[in-house]
């Protein structure tokens, strides 16, 4: 997308979310533009969904506009610039031409479901999980970039090509992971209301080589022990120590005493407590993940692949982010992400079946045609919120497809062929460049590709044969855009002749 097109997209979005003065914050993740809004009622959802660059909208703690990978990273700074350039006076909101949204009835149902989900997700535990996600999501671009370089470097090493270059590529790919604890500490302090650089300073203790000379709980510490979990705990502790100091330390000496006490107290606790404890927890996570897939791989894959989308709906999937990061830090890849990615494959298969079954509903079919390319690349929100979830039963059959794909990959893990990802974020076809495992890359890619095919096929078959009741087919199989009623369609098409007895 050219720079002027990115700016045009941002310019089109801005008035539809209430203008610059209605925006309180702007951020983005892998696929979504995340906006904090002062007044939700000023947003024109239908007009936003009608924009060519918008794949869908999701309402959570922020208003999220799905633009897709790559596009969102280019549109976000353009929108930020427009918000920054806006004057103090409120600009009049331009009139938006009436535009019938694609599959408007389904979109309305999807919006209602999202609103209800937002209310259910506003619990203290789920809000805490969102804060944890906010710590790790900004790290995803670096994880992806370094992961792809690591995979490319591994390929060069296996082929014995460019031996003078591979050490440099290894350094580039590994540098971020060697210091990821520092970035986690920085983001944690920022998220919990502390001074970010103090959180990073305390977390840096974990990766400092000199901790190898320190003994805690009768054991020598090792650099990196405790990993991202230790860094998270250390930075949270530093934030609370800093807040206590701000409250009690006199202002005249605050600039000297508060940073010193924050780093000293939280640093000592980190060295003589958190590093050991977090190290044990991190080791336990890796051991548990490997045991689960080694011994119950097919069943574990079926459960994880089948339940991932419901976990997303409940907001509980965010708890997996630090687990993924811990596995990548320990083993070089996370064995869970490829299995969870099968949920998207089930959605794609489901959508194709809906397209085939509702051959007279041009509105829904148009939605599916526009959303399928993104679905193949792992961006599932348009298919989920625009098609399967509002329809109900197809969402369940899509989960069945995800379960089948997960079971396929889990089965090979039981045979000793682990499939992993060197980063988190991408899914679907976009995950291929990040694949890694304990066997050769060709086999790893084949297993993951096989899982996707199984997910597509089972999602399609489950939806085609079990995703609709007879009444649903009558109600939905009409050309809504042409004004045709379901009853007229049913009356126009004679019922199929009954087969002779004995046939």
């Amino acid at each position: 997308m050219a720079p002027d097109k990115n700016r045009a997209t941002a310019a089109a979005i801005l008035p539809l979310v209430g203008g610059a003065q209605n925006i309180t914050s702007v951020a983005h993740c892998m696929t979504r533009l995340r906006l904090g809004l002062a007044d939700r009622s000023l947003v024109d959802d239908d007009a936003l969904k009608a924009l060519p660059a918008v794949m869908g909208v999701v309402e959570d703690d922020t208003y999220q506009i799905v633009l897709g990978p790559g596009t969102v990273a280019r549109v976000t700074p353009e929108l930020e610039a427009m918000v920054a350039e806006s004057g103090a006076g409120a600009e009049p909101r331009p009139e938006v031409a009436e535009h019938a949204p694609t599959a408007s009835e389904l979109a309305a149902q999807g919006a209602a479901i999202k609103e209800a989900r937002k209310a259910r997700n506003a619990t203290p535990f789920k809000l805490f999980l969102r804060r944890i996600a906010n710590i790790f999501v900004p790290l995803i671009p670096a994880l992806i970039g370094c992961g792809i370089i690591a995979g490319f470097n591994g390929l060069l090493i296996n082929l014995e090509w460019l031996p003078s270059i591979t050490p440099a590529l290894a350094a580039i790919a590994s540098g971020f992971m060697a210091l990821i604890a520092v970035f986690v500490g920085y983001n944690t302090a920022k998220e919990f209301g502390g001074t970010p650089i103090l959180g990073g300073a305390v977390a840096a203790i974990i990766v400092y080589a000199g901790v190898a000379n320190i003994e805690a709980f009768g054991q020598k510490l090792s650099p990196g022990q405790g990993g991202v979990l230790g860094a998270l705990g250390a930075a949270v502790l530093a934030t609370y120590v800093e807040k206590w100091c701000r409250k009690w330390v006199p202002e005249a000496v605050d600039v000297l005493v508060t940073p010193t006490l924050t780093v000293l107290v939280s640093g000592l606790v980190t060295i003589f407590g958190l590093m050991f404890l977090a190290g044990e927890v991190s080791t336990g996570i890796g051991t548990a993940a490997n045991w689960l897939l080694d011994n119950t791989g097919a069943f574990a894959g079926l459960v994880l692949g089948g339940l991932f989308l419901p976990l997303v709906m409940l907001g509980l999937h965010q708890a997996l982010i630090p687990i993924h990061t811990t596995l990548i830090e320990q083993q070089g890849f996370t064995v869970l992400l490829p299995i969870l990615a099968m949920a998207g494959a089930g959605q794609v298969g489901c959508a194709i079946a809906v397209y085939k079954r509702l051959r007279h509903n041009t509105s829904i079919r148009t939605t599916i045609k526009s959303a399928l390319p993104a679905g193949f690349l792992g961006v599932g929100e348009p298919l989920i919120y625009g098609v399967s979830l509002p329809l109900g039963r197809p969402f369940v059959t899509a989960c069945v497809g995800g379960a089948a794909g997960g079971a396929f990959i889990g089965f090979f893990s039981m045979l000793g062929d682990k499939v992993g990802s060197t980063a988190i974020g991408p899914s679907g076809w976009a995950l291929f460049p990040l694949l890694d495992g304990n066997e050769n890359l060709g086999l790893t890619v084949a297993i993951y590709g096989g899982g996707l095919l199984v997910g597509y096929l089972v999602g399609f078959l489950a939806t085609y044969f079990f995703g609709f009741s007879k009444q649903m087919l009558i109600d939905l199989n009409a050309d809504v855009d042409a004004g045709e009623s379901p009853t007229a369609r049913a009356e126009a098409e004679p019922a199929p002749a009954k087969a002779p007895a004995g046939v």
Side-chain angles (χ1 to χ4, degrees), residues 60-61 116-131 314-316 318:
D60 207 330
D61 54 328
R117 180 174 61 85
K118 179 184 176 184
R120 290 196 304 270
N121 285 351
T123 64
F125 176 67
K126 291 173 184 176
L127 292 174
F128 172 76
L129 291 181
R130 288 177 196 165
R131 300 186 79 173
L314 295 172
L316 298 177
Q318 294 163 338

Side-chain angles (χ1 to χ4, degrees), residues 470-497:
K470 292 182 179 179
Q471 188 59 46
M472 286 177 66
L473 288 175
I474 294 174
D475 292 340
L476 294 167
N477 226 344
D479 192 348
V480 178
D481 289 342
E484 181 180 20
S485 69
T487 304
R489 166 65 62 183
E491 292 174 351
E493 292 186 355

Side-chain angles (χ1 to χ4, degrees), residues 62-106:
T62 56
Y63 190 80
Q64 302 169 14
I65 302 172
V66 184
L67 298 175
T71 301
V72 69
R74 292 167 173 80
V75 172
T76 300
E78 297 289 351
L79 185 67
E80 288 176 324
M82 290 179 182
V83 172
E85 292 166 3
S86 65
E91 298 180 0
R93 187 179 177 209
E95 291 295 324
V96 180
E98 289 294 327
H99 182 89
T102 305
S104 57
E105 293 184 359
L106 284 183

Side-chain angles (χ1 to χ4, degrees), residues 154-497:
L155 181 63
L156 291 179
I157 292 173
N158 290 336
L159 296 174
E160 298 182 353
W161 290 356
L162 303 176
S164 61
I165 299 296
T166 52
L169 293 178
I172 294 170
S174 303
F176 173 73
M177 288 307 302
L179 297 175
I180 190 173
V182 179
F183 296 100
V184 169
Y186 184 96
N187 287 349
T188 301
K190 181 179 179 180
E191 180 65 25
F192 282 83
T195 301
I197 198 64
L198 292 180
V202 174
I205 297 169
I206 292 174
V207 296
Y208 174 56
V211 298
N213 301 320
I214 302 172
E215 189 174 295
F217 294 93
Q219 300 179 15
K220 287 281 189 179
L221 296 177
S222 59
Q225 185 173 341
V228 294
L229 298 182
L232 194 153
V236 169
L237 175 62
T239 299
Y240 281 102
V241 172
E242 180 188 0
K243 289 180 178 179
W244 183 90
C245 290
R246 301 289 184 199
K247 182 178 180 180
W248 294 104
V249 174
E251 292 183 6
V253 294
D254 178 74
V255 69
L256 298 175
V257 175
T258 296
T260 304
L261 285 179
T262 298
V263 175
L264 178 62
V265 173
S266 54
L268 289 173
V269 174
T270 298
I271 291 172
F272 293 106
L274 286 177
M275 284 186 68
F276 176 82
L277 295 175
E280 293 298 304
V281 173
S282 298
T283 301
I285 289 174
T287 302
N290 289 330
W291 182 92
L292 189 67
L293 293 179
D294 289 344
N295 295 277
T296 66
F299 177 74
L302 183 143
V303 173
L304 291 172
L307 293 183
F308 182 63
L309 286 180
L311 285 178
V312 172
M313 305 307 301
L314 295 172
L316 298 177
H317 66 296
Q318 294 163 338
L320 296 170
I321 296 177
I323 295 176
H324 287 311
T325 310
T326 297
L327 291 174
I328 293 171
E329 192 178 35
Q330 283 185 344
Q331 304 174 6
F333 54 83
T334 168
V335 292
L336 299 180
L337 185 59
I339 291 176
L340 300 176
M342 296 300 107
Q347 281 291 331
V348 169
C350 163
I352 296 173
V354 172
Y355 185 88
K356 292 292 186 182
R357 291 291 267 167
L358 304 185
R359 61 188 184 279
H360 299 297
N361 193 317
T362 57
S363 182
I364 294 178
R365 285 164 66 91
T366 301
T367 297
I368 293 171
K369 282 194 292 186
S370 63
L372 263 181
F376 279 113
L377 292 174
V379 183
E381 289 94 338
L383 291 177
I384 295 171
Y385 293 114
V387 181
S388 66
L389 187 60
L391 288 174
R393 285 173 64 165
F395 180 78
V396 176
T397 53
C399 291
V400 172
F408 180 89
I409 293 181
F411 173 75
F412 279 93
S413 184
M414 290 177 65
L415 299 180
D417 302 319
K418 287 187 171 62
V419 177
S421 170
T422 57
I424 57 177
S427 183
W429 293 1
L431 195 61
F432 276 110
L434 296 167
L435 291 177
D436 197 0
N438 62 338
E439 298 294 338
N440 67 76
L441 184 60
L443 179 59
T444 300
V445 169
I447 294 173
Y448 179 72
L452 287 177
L453 292 177
V454 170
Y456 296 152
L457 180 61
V458 175
F460 174 86
L461 294 176
T463 304
Y464 193 90
F465 291 107
F466 305 106
F468 297 93
S469 65
K470 292 182 179 179
Q471 188 59 46
M472 286 177 66
L473 288 175
I474 294 174
D475 292 340
L476 294 167
N477 226 344
D479 192 348
V480 178
D481 289 342
E484 181 180 20
S485 69
T487 304
R489 166 65 62 183
E491 292 174 351
E493 292 186 355

